[in-house]
Amino acid sequence: MTTFAGLRPKRPEWFRGFLVVAVVSMIVYVAAAWWAPWTPGRLGGLTFGTLAALLFVVDALYPFRRKWNAWPFGTVQRWLQFHIYGGGIAALYVLLHVGFRLPNGLFGWWLFLLSFWVILSGLAGVYLQKRIPTVLANNLAVEAIYERIPELTARLQTEADKLLAGTPELLQRFYSTNTRASLATVAPAWGYLVDFRAERERRMAPFKEVVTYLSEADRVKLGDLQAIVTEKFELDVQYSLQRILKVWVPLHAVPAVVLMGLLVVHVAAVLLF
């Protein structure tokens, strides 16, 4: 799966619907702004602001989709599509609400920045949840539960120590110099999301160099050690990519909760004052 393939819409009809709504909304905004001065407090601005708030509220109900048996959208997949494209329309309506102007005051800036942080982090989550499972399924032979990976990694070093016990000095030196330290702990890296093949080749390169100096029996040992190193590397990749998903959740969800609280205050202030 290429990097850009992760951005391809899974449901093209929803994407087309999103584009239609966005274009129609822009036409309405342009016509209304040409007809009369546009401000957030006038009818047009209030309408788009109200619609944006409603869309954010419905989007915030997404975690309850299974508890409610996917009501009111019928299926979990439709819930997900609305969560994605409804959030995109909400972001557009925030811009229309303020007339594509920067907000005034600290509270306005908090609303503005949180709105776009939630939308952009949500889009990042869509990409991650498409790309990471595909990478894990199609490019790695090792599968592991995130919480167990440190334990599995610790066992690999012990296994390698036993394998190399009593082997010739050259193989022992190769193991202690090039390999043993890398087996000690999990070594996650953010870059594995983009590409990990180059790092895998780098780790395997020393094995190709030393193999010509070994006897046939020692080459078998080296092959077993290479299998252990490959498994360790794939556990590193698994841990790295699964960790990205786990870190993403609070980075998206916590600001979304704060945004909902600020929206309640904002709506109450408009209604009361």
Side-chain angles (χ1 to χ4, degrees):
M1 182 181 184
T2 65
T3 300
F4 293 106
L7 302 175
R8 186 178 301 122
K10 184 178 288 187
R11 296 288 185 272
E13 64 276 14
W14 279 82
F15 181 68
R16 288 192 294 269
F18 164 79
L19 290 179
V20 169
V21 173
V23 169
V24 170
S25 300
M26 283 298 301
I27 292 172
V28 171
Y29 164 75
V30 170
W34 174 80
W35 183 262
W38 186 277
T39 65
R42 293 175 70 94
L43 178 61
L46 285 174
T47 300
F48 281 115
T50 302
L51 291 173
L54 290 174
L55 287 169
F56 277 130
V57 169
V58 176
D59 264 9
L61 299 177
Y62 177 72
F64 301 100
R65 64 199 182 282
R66 296 188 186 278
K67 184 177 181 180
W68 294 348
N69 294 320
W71 181 87
F73 296 104
T75 68
V76 172
Q77 184 57 232
R78 287 180 195 148
W79 248 114
L80 175 60
Q81 295 303 308
F82 181 86
H83 188 68
I84 296 168
Y85 292 110
I89 293 296
L92 173 62
Y93 286 0
V94 168
L95 292 174
L96 297 180
H97 171 60
V98 297
F100 291 94
R101 298 185 185 91
L102 293 177
N104 295 317
L106 183 61
F107 189 83
W109 272 106
W110 272 108
L111 276 174
F112 186 80
L113 293 176
L114 277 173
S115 296
F116 282 92
W117 174 267
V118 170
I119 295 303
L120 293 175
S121 64
L123 292 175
V126 172
Y127 171 76
L128 293 174
Q129 291 181 44
K130 283 185 178 182
R131 178 167 174 79
I132 288 178
T134 303
V135 170
L136 295 180
N138 296 340
N139 296 279
L140 302 177
V142 174
E143 295 183 11
I145 299 172
Y146 177 80
E147 288 75 15
R148 291 202 60 209
I149 290 176
E151 172 193 346
L152 295 172
T153 296
R155 292 179 182 177
L156 288 178
Q157 189 181 67
T158 302
E159 184 180 341
D161 287 344
K162 291 179 180 179
L163 174 68
L164 275 295
T167 56
E169 181 184 354
L170 175 61
L171 196 52
Q172 290 275 3
R173 188 166 63 249
F174 170 81
Y175 172 56
S176 61
T177 303
N178 296 283
T179 304
R180 191 174 190 278
S182 68
L183 298 177
T185 59
V186 180
W190 296 102
Y192 290 155
L193 177 64
V194 179
D195 179 50
F196 56 81
R197 295 176 183 83
E199 176 62 17
R200 179 161 53 191
E201 289 299 318
R202 188 189 69 80
R203 294 196 190 188
M204 294 301 111
F207 287 88
K208 298 176 182 178
E209 297 172 2
V210 75
V211 68
T212 56
Y213 303 101
L214 300 176
S215 66
E216 193 63 34
D218 290 335
R219 289 181 181 180
V220 174
K221 292 279 189 180
L222 183 70
D224 292 340
L225 177 61
Q226 186 172 359
I228 292 173
V229 172
T230 299
E231 182 178 351
K232 166 59 168 56
F233 174 72
E234 293 199 357
L235 287 173
D236 287 344
V237 176
Q238 284 269 357
Y239 189 85
S240 301
L241 299 186
Q242 292 187 49
R243 184 181 68 168
I244 289 173
L245 282 177
K246 288 183 177 293
V247 168
W248 168 79
V249 172
L251 289 178
H252 177 65
V254 173
V257 171
V258 176
L259 175 61
M260 288 302 101
L262 293 182
L263 276 176
V264 171
V265 174
H266 181 58
V267 172
V270 170
L271 294 176
L272 294 175
F273 303 105

